[in-house]
Amino acid sequence: MILPPWCRRVFLLACATIVAIALTGCGDSRDDRTADGRIILQYWEKWGSFEAEAMRRVVDDYNASQDQVLVKFLTVSQIDQKVLLATAGGNPPDIAGLWGYMVPSYAEKNALTPLDSYIAEAGISGEDYYPALWETVSHRGFVWALPTTPATVALHYNKQLFEEAGLDPERPPQSIAELDAMAEKLTIVELERDGQTIQVRYSDMTTQEQAGIADDSRASEFRIIQLGHSPTYPGWWLPMWGYWWDASLVNDDGTRVTPASEPNLDAMRWIESYTEKYGKNNMLAFGSSFGNFGSPQEPFLEGQIAMVIQGVWMYNFIDQFAPRLEWGVAPFPSAYPNTTPKVTILESDVLVIPKGARHPDAAFDFIRYVNQQGPMEKLCLGHRKFSPLVKTSERFLQDHPNPYIEVFIDLASSPNARTTPLIPLWQEYLSEMNVSINSVYRQVIEPEPAMERVEQRIQKKLDRAVRRWELTKDVRLAEWEQMR
């Protein structure tokens, strides 16, 4: 049966309310006091496994530190959708753990409580955190969240494979050009030569053989055994490769998207150059042999790829699945190392108070507790990440199991530490970019028309979002100011 539009809206609203109530128990009738009168706070978090346990220990410490509030920690899947549904249903949790990139979208949906008055009273300021992180939790002049466990990305490389290729394992590449040259030495191809099947490094292939591997019609003559690097693995930050060319994806005030800028196009051409060099079919066939991330068959852990861009969390998987791996970490080199060094993407989990939370004062007291140096370092050590706070104790560094943790901390303080574009449309922008970049990588479309198409499609949506904001901003800002 096809419902008319008004029926569908009623039906969806009813579903949202039902889901919200189901998630929180029984709506406004929830018992929010313990038998001895403590306020019960509902805290929803996306983490599972050891990350959830790390936060659970901090929650236990907080609960034991005072007798006024009891935080109940709950791991929730698809938290990005469920927090919105619960907030729309008028029955949100008191605290929610989100990803930092979600802050602008949630704020503009009027789903968060501004924290400005709370952080001012607590003596918390942006100077306590890495600058890019403070940008992440701020939007339209208000602060909506505080960071918890941040991460930067860096080059991870296999030192044993470097040695086997005749490269200095203590000297990672210093520029994109050098990374590409090293990747050629680290790439091993199986082919026929003089009637024999041999394995040879790409850098030792003849000019004719190099032309052959790039020719997709001759893909059956070549098989990639080991790859020096692939810009599309793991593929989680494809739209942001332009940062290593000093590019931006939006203008300064967030009203224009700029995927077709020349620096971004340079990054797209670099991605395309890998399929041009090693052959699209060869690269796709090699990629199809990869095991899942978070398993022993992950290609970097398996030695299938010698150099990858990964986050600070990669240590956890190396320690678990490949403890004998000889590996190193360094800043992923930029195209212009002299003028744009130490480029990285800085992301963070955050804690927010959803709009309509029943106990915002108590909720912020918990968030303030987490953002003290001791509890924060305990949490981040449990995640094997670094603290979002600029001040880090010597004990934290001494106890941290990741031997390269200071590389990630140094990158977080870099002036070239960049975040995802802080616009409400980022998820749509990301999807459009990923589809187009994969088409470029597969040589379906050239970088210029691919990025121009993204720019046109997203700019139209952003223009509509800007117009909506202009129509509502006076009311919305006045409301937020009262809540501030």
Side-chain angles (χ1 to χ4, degrees), residues 20-21 24-32 89-92 356 358:
I21 291 173
T24 53
C26 50
D28 288 338
S29 63
R30 280 183 298 167
D31 185 358
D32 63 351
N91 204 6
R358 288 189 295 177

Side-chain angles (χ1 to χ4, degrees), residues 429-446:
Y429 194 1
L430 175 67
S431 297
E432 289 276 356
M433 286 289 283
N434 280 334
V435 169
S436 294
I437 293 171
N438 276 301
S439 295
V440 168
Y441 179 71
R442 292 168 179 263
Q443 298 177 313
V444 175
I445 187 172
E446 294 292 324

Side-chain angles (χ1 to χ4, degrees), residues 99-138:
W99 290 278
Y101 71 82
M102 297 164 65
V103 168
S105 173
Y106 267 62
E108 298 227 346
K109 288 184 171 77
N110 214 19
L112 300 179
T113 302
L115 304 181
D116 299 75
S117 60
Y118 289 121
I119 63 173
E121 186 175 348
I124 295 173
S125 77
E127 295 178 355
D128 299 326
Y129 302 86
Y130 296 108
L133 284 182
W134 198 248
E135 293 175 13
T136 299
V137 299
S138 306

Side-chain angles (χ1 to χ4, degrees), residues 36-322:
D36 60 356
R38 298 171 75 174
I39 296 172
I40 298 175
L41 294 182
Q42 302 294 333
Y43 169 21
W44 292 3
E45 184 53 83
K46 58 194 173 300
W47 295 319
S49 186
F50 70 93
E51 294 165 316
E53 289 308 309
M55 178 52 100
R56 201 182 304 277
R57 290 192 291 272
V58 173
V59 168
D60 290 343
D61 289 349
Y62 173 75
N63 287 337
S65 71
Q66 42 73 47
D67 60 3
Q68 300 297 309
V69 177
L70 181 73
V71 176
K72 288 193 173 181
F73 178 88
L74 178 66
T75 293
V76 176
S77 63
Q78 297 180 310
I79 196 168
D80 51 335
Q81 300 172 34
K82 291 175 180 174
V83 170
L84 276 180
L85 287 172
T87 303
N91 204 6
D94 297 287
I95 307 158
L98 305 178
W99 290 278
Y101 71 82
M102 297 164 65
V103 168
S105 173
Y106 267 62
E108 298 227 346
K109 288 184 171 77
N110 214 19
L112 300 179
T113 302
L115 304 181
D116 299 75
S117 60
Y118 289 121
I119 63 173
E121 186 175 348
I124 295 173
S125 77
E127 295 178 355
D128 299 326
Y129 302 86
Y130 296 108
L133 284 182
W134 198 248
E135 293 175 13
T136 299
V137 299
S138 306
H139 185 65
R140 304 285 190 198
F142 294 81
V143 178
W144 301 97
L146 285 181
T148 52
T149 54
T152 48
V153 298
L155 176 72
H156 290 62
Y157 65 100
N158 186 316
K159 290 187 174 182
Q160 182 180 343
L161 298 185
F162 264 51
E163 286 187 328
E164 292 173 359
L167 298 170
D168 183 350
E170 303 306 325
R171 189 187 181 285
Q174 305 298 304
S175 67
I176 288 286
E178 192 173 16
L179 177 135
D180 292 342
M182 288 182 169
E184 293 182 359
K185 293 183 178 181
L186 289 159
T187 296
I188 297 176
V189 178
E190 185 175 272
L191 51 79
E192 295 287 329
R193 182 186 287 176
D194 301 327
Q196 300 290 320
T197 300
I198 64 169
Q199 293 187 359
V200 60
R201 296 185 183 278
Y202 180 88
S203 54
D204 294 331
M205 291 168 64
T206 66
T207 303
Q208 188 177 19
E209 289 168 342
Q210 290 180 351
I213 193 174
D215 183 351
D216 285 324
S217 67
R218 297 178 57 189
S220 60
E221 301 175 29
F222 302 90
R223 186 164 72 95
I224 296 175
I225 304 298
Q226 174 183 300
L227 195 60
H229 176 69
S230 172
T232 58
Y233 185 80
W236 299 337
W237 304 284
L238 293 179
M240 288 170 277
W241 271 126
Y243 292 173
W244 278 264
W245 275 259
D246 203 18
S248 296
L249 288 167
V250 295
N251 66 352
D252 290 343
D253 64 5
T255 58
R256 299 289 305 176
V257 293
T258 57
S261 68
E262 194 57 33
N264 272 316
L265 290 176
D266 285 342
M268 298 303 112
R269 294 179 188 116
W270 175 67
I271 293 171
E272 185 185 33
S273 74
Y274 271 71
T275 40
E276 288 179 341
K277 179 185 294 183
Y278 299 110
K280 177 185 68 177
N281 291 336
N282 291 314
M283 291 290 278
L284 294 177
F286 186 64
S288 68
S289 69
F290 294 168
N292 292 331
F293 185 80
S295 77
Q297 291 74 41
E298 194 276 340
F300 179 69
L301 303 184
E302 281 270 89
Q304 290 178 281
I305 297 184
M307 298 183 289
V308 296
I309 186 169
Q310 265 297 354
V312 63
W313 54 79
M314 192 64 184
Y315 164 80
N316 298 315
F317 301 100
I318 294 173
D319 182 55
Q320 183 177 1
F321 298 122

